[in-house]
Amino acid sequence: MSEQTTQSQRRVVVAGAGMAGVQTAVALREQGFTGTVTLIGAEPHQPYDRPPLSKAVLLGKSEGSAFDVDFEALGIELHLGREVLGVRPADHELDTEAGPVPYDVLVLATGAEPIRLPGVEGVPGVHLLRTLDDAERLRPVLARQHDIVVVGAGWIGAEFATAAREAGCAVTVVEAADRPLAGALPAEVAAPMTAWYEDSGAVLRTHARVERVEPGAVLLDDGSRLPAGAVVVGIGARPATAWLAGSGIELGAHGEVVADDGLRTSVPDVYAVGDCASFPSGRYGERLLVHHWDNALQGPRTVAANILGETPAFYDPVPYFWSEQFGRFVQYAGHHAAADTTLWRGDPSGPAWTVCWLKDDRLVALLAVGRPRDLAQGRRLIEAGTPMNAELLADPARPMKAATA
């Protein structure tokens, strides 16, 4: 049997129809895969993009955010509204609500699920913001201009608070840590962002732990009672991998699928990509678990290339994400954990500034607020590993690419 015939008979099944799953299916076709491609999604909706949910969809400026992909023309079979229940690698079968689906190659792209606030099951008016249905449920809440309490001052909490203020709601954000974005950024970098809440008319309460939620109110552990027509919980997300229990596929400390540098799992013929998987970064010398859109966009090309198998592909990106909050465009590239120098470009109390993280004079990460050119140039400098001149870099008037050693 010729190689071409063999390839055309191969069945690739992708579990998860979010960005990572859709892009894997598209990349397979773009790279010339001629076998069967089946995309299985738990939600009944046409596959859609998530970032607009906390912005345009929430505010009623857009009905949805379906991907502009002609699945039929690409020969991609869609099975929507079908939950995956388990995988049996020895049988090469994926178990779903509608029965088993055989595969030659399986791609895990089930993403992440929001962490729920304990003790709120069944309490009316408590919301998450992860899916299109979540956004649809929240839209009338904003339209009615309820008092809203947001639990968690992370990226999603800030974005939701921004939309709620724009809709005219009174917003209180409660955060257990001492600052916003405590899990993502060092204290001195997150500190200037505290003022953004007040500037927008939102109230930020730090060191604030939720004791319990009851209809119409949130009670904090210090005895405060906050009126709440609605409560939106944004306290993080974890890989949606509980369904893999007993499969033999190795999971990491956070429940993520442990993938190698080609995004293969510990089990033959199974790959993992996007929010549900971690990968070893040669660039940063550690394993990364990246819950951001760009990772779900880039990783699938590596998966598709390795499924086709003509030349091995390795995944070692400079992580990137952005957030629009309180009238500011915030972008981050890289990974700052091992940096030995933190350097500022511009005044953090002003509208536009950048923080650079260096290790051994090389840029390893940067956060740019309202300075997209810094981000674009900085990302390339990180990728190239270019030595930087710290004194020149600290001058915000000088382009980053002109601040090399």
Side-chain angles (χ1 to χ4, degrees):
M1 195 185 289
S2 76
E3 193 176 311
Q4 190 57 42
T5 317
T6 315
Q7 200 223 92
S8 68
Q9 292 177 344
R10 286 172 84 203
R11 297 162 300 185
V12 175
V13 174
V14 182
M19 171 62 93
V22 167
Q23 290 299 329
T24 298
V26 170
L28 280 163
R29 290 298 187 227
E30 283 178 345
Q31 294 182 28
F33 181 75
T34 55
T36 308
V37 178
T38 304
L39 191 59
I40 298 176
E43 292 181 57
H45 312 289
Q46 275 293 110
Y48 61 87
D49 204 5
R50 288 189 196 281
L53 297 184
S54 60
K55 306 172 185 77
V57 175
L58 198 55
L59 290 168
K61 295 176 181 176
S62 163
E63 279 306 307
S65 55
F67 290 117
D68 185 15
V69 173
D70 189 336
F71 294 101
E72 200 176 336
L74 289 170
I76 295 166
E77 288 178 29
L78 279 184
H79 295 289
L80 302 173
R82 185 180 294 190
E83 203 153 334
V84 288
L85 304 175
V87 58
R88 289 172 286 116
D91 300 328
H92 274 65
E93 283 192 336
L94 177 72
D95 289 318
T96 78
E97 286 178 318
V101 178
Y103 67 83
D104 295 307
V105 178
L106 175 65
V107 181
L108 308 175
T110 45
E113 57 198 2
I115 296 170
R116 292 170 185 273
L117 192 64
V120 300
E121 202 61 46
V123 178
V126 179
H127 299 262
L128 296 165
L129 179 50
R130 181 75 187 179
T131 67
L132 184 57
D133 289 341
D134 292 339
E136 294 291 355
R137 279 189 287 268
L138 277 163
R139 198 148 58 170
V141 172
L142 296 195
R144 288 195 294 267
Q145 299 189 331
H146 279 296
D147 286 350
I148 293 179
V149 173
V150 179
V151 183
W155 300 112
I156 197 75
E159 289 180 6
F160 178 79
T162 301
R165 285 299 299 139
E166 196 176 318
C169 301
V171 179
T172 302
V173 181
V174 296
E175 168 57 55
D178 61 350
R179 63 186 188 275
L181 294 167
L185 296 172
E188 74 272 20
V189 177
M193 299 174 173
T194 303
W196 299 357
Y197 287 78
E198 193 179 342
D199 292 348
S200 79
V203 175
L204 173 65
R205 296 192 49 166
T206 54
H207 299 288
R209 290 188 176 276
V210 175
E211 185 75 30
R212 71 177 188 276
V213 179
E214 53 189 45
V218 173
L219 281 76
L220 302 182
D221 63 357
D222 66 357
S224 315
R225 190 172 189 279
L226 306 176
V231 178
V232 176
V233 179
I235 53 174
R238 57 176 152 234
T241 56
W243 66 281
L244 293 171
S247 67
I249 293 168
E250 186 189 349
L251 302 181
H254 303 284
E256 80 281 10
V257 180
V258 175
D260 70 7
D261 59 3
L263 299 179
R264 297 172 192 83
T265 71
S266 61
V267 163
D269 303 321
V270 181
Y271 293 78
V273 66
D275 287 6
C276 71
S278 68
F279 54 89
S281 169
R283 187 189 308 278
Y284 291 106
E286 62 179 287
R287 182 166 280 279
L288 299 182
L289 174 59
V290 180
H291 280 194
H292 292 299
W293 185 89
D294 191 64
N295 179 50
L297 177 68
Q298 307 292 346
R301 294 171 201 160
T302 300
V303 171
N306 286 328
I307 289 172
L308 281 148
E310 282 155 26
T311 48
F314 302 99
Y315 192 56
D316 195 5
V318 172
Y320 165 73
F321 72 88
W322 84 98
S323 173
E324 292 176 75
Q325 50 182 270
F326 307 119
R328 291 164 172 86
F329 187 42
V330 184
Q331 295 170 284
Y332 177 97
H335 180 64
H336 64 263
D340 52 33
T341 306
T342 305
L343 190 145
W344 296 74
R345 285 167 60 79
D347 177 2
S349 65
W353 46 275
T354 296
V355 180
C356 301
W357 286 274
L358 299 137
K359 186 175 192 301
D360 304 330
D361 297 329
R362 284 174 167 76
L363 195 63
V364 292
L366 78 156
L367 176 89
V369 176
R371 290 181 66 100
R373 188 174 295 169
D374 276 7
L375 191 289
Q377 293 182 10
R379 194 177 182 183
R380 285 194 288 271
L381 292 163
I382 295 170
E383 280 169 355
T386 309
M388 305 301 294
N389 178 317
E391 199 177 320
L392 299 180
L393 189 59
D395 175 4
R398 179 184 290 271
M400 288 187 68
K401 63 183 180 184
T404 55

